[in-house]
């Protein structure tokens, strides 16, 4: 039975890391624990995003992860990432996941090709129409090489399966342009550090990397950001977040979670490696600071 969640009730979605064992295989026991931690914090869970190294996994591993988490029947909604550059394969993935008890999709921009408004409209419209669940589009030009054009949002805003947009360009002007083009679209910050500012601009919530390391604290921070409270924690938060992006995500957060004793291994899939992070004092200091809040 699929829970009937109101997705708008979840202001924080954790882009969950994929834990690996010492041999580089998916560590399903640890995955179970991570899901329980997010459930306890009442955070929505995003599987197989860039933080989850989704594109570095085999199809069998992707299927195994989604099926495993679905079997846990968490009391929070599940979102599954859809990303790549082959539209037919992505439609097959959506069709496969439609049969599982999930609740939403994160639809990434097509990689590498850098299509314009017409091509992106076709891409997203095809996936939205294939989906049996509400969808969040993902604007992340730093990874896809191109932003989602405003024209594409205008073309798609009436689609019944378009629910939200994750804005991760780091540009508040882009955020405002999307909000003006589609006032009814739920906009989420894709940048942990910018959440207080995006909240003031009308964001509904955050899709977070930091919530992997600090589930409860990040939940509280989002709540405070959305309530309009501006405690002196914001400067501390920004410094802590910066430490999680000292090198490519999710390297620092997986190293930190290993230090916390919550991952059995800091291993990542190539081309990413934990050996990239040669200095860990910053994440250790950030961890001490954030954990002192709660």
């Amino acid at each position: 039975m699929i829970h009937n969640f109101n997705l708008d009730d979840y202001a924080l979605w954790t882009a969950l890391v994929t834990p690996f064992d010492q041999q580089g295989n998916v560590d399903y026991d640890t995955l179970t624990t991570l899901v329980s931690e997010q459930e306890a914090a009442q955070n929505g869970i995003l599987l197989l995003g860039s933080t989850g190294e989704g594109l570095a996994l085999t199809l069998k591993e992707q299927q195994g992860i989604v099926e495993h988490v679905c079997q846990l029947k968490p009391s929070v909604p599940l979102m599954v990432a859809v990303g790549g550059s082959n539209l037919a394969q992505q439609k097959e993935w959506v069709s496969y996941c439609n049969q599982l008890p999930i609740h939403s999709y994160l639809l990434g921009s097509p990689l590498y090709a850098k299509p314009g408004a017409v091509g992106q409209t076709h891409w997203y419209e095809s996936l939205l129409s294939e989906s049996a669940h509400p969808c969040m589009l993902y604007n992340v030009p730093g990874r896809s090489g191109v932003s989602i054009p405003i024209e594409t949002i205008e073309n798609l805003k009436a689609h019944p399966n378009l629910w939200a947009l994750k804005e991760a360009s780091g540009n508040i002007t882009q955020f405002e342009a999307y909000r003006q083009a589609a006032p009814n679209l739920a906009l989420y910050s894709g940048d942990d550090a910018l959440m207080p500012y995006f909240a003031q601009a009308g964001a509904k919530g955050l899709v977070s990397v930091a919530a992997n390391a600090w589930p409860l604290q990040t939940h509280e921070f989002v709540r405070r950001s959305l309530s309009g409270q501006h405690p002196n924690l914001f400067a501390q938060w920004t410094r802590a977040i910066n430490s999680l992006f000292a090198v490519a995500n999710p390297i620092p957060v997986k190293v930190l979670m290993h230090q916390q004793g919550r991952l059995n291994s800091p291993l990542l899939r190539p081309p990413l490696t934990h050996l990239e992070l040669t200095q860990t004092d910053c994440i250790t200091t950030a961890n001490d600071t954030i954990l002192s809040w709660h």
Side-chain angles (χ1 to χ4, degrees), residues 271-290:
L272 298 183
T273 170
H274 66 285
L275 300 176
E276 202 87 52
L277 190 66
T278 57
Q279 206 267 38
T280 61
D281 290 351
C282 288
I283 58 172
T284 303
T285 300
N287 190 54
D288 291 342
T289 299
I290 301 303

Side-chain angles (χ1 to χ4, degrees), residues 34-184:
L34 297 182
V35 168
S36 295
E37 291 170 352
Q38 297 302 326
E39 188 179 13
Q42 281 296 291
N43 301 333
I45 295 172
L46 166 63
L47 300 173
L48 305 178
S50 50
T51 304
E53 301 173 78
L55 294 178
L57 301 169
T58 66
L59 177 59
K60 184 176 181 180
E61 288 172 327
Q62 293 171 344
Q63 293 172 336
I65 288 168
V66 177
E67 290 176 2
H68 178 83
V69 176
C70 285
Q71 289 168 2
L72 298 175
K73 299 179 181 178
S75 60
V76 295
L78 300 176
M79 186 186 300
V80 174
V82 180
S85 56
N86 184 304
L87 181 58
Q89 288 179 352
Q90 303 318 307
K91 288 175 66 176
E92 288 177 7
W93 174 242
V94 170
S95 179
Y96 170 82
C97 291
N98 279 342
Q99 312 306 313
L100 299 172
I102 67 167
H103 311 97
S104 181
Y105 293 106
L106 179 71
L107 305 182
S109 299
L111 302 178
Y112 189 76
K114 297 169 63 174
V118 175
Q120 289 200 44
T121 297
H122 174 67
W123 172 273
Y124 283 120
E125 194 167 45
S126 299
L127 295 174
L128 287 165
S129 297
E130 190 73 30
S131 172
H133 306 294
C135 297
M136 177 186 289
L137 306 190
Y138 184 14
N139 185 53
V140 60
R143 290 189 182 271
S144 65
V146 64
S147 287
I148 300 176
I150 299 300
E151 181 183 340
T152 295
I153 297 299
E154 291 174 338
N155 292 341
L156 298 171
K157 64 183 179 182
H159 198 290
N161 284 338
L162 180 56
W163 154 58
L165 185 146
K166 175 185 175 184
E167 162 50 24
S169 71
N171 187 339
I172 198 77
T173 303
Q174 184 82 358
F175 179 96
E176 291 282 7
Y178 287 138
R179 192 173 71 151
Q180 185 172 356
N184 295 324

Side-chain angles (χ1 to χ4, degrees), residues 194-229:
L194 295 180
M195 180 58 204
Y197 309 101
F198 276 50
Q200 292 178 55
K204 298 294 185 183
L206 171 68
V207 182
S208 175
V209 174
N212 281 284
W214 309 306
L216 292 168
Q217 292 81 3
T218 307
H219 186 102
E220 174 65 12
F221 189 80
V222 170
R223 188 193 69 78
R224 293 191 184 197
S225 295
L226 292 173
S227 71
Q229 299 177 43

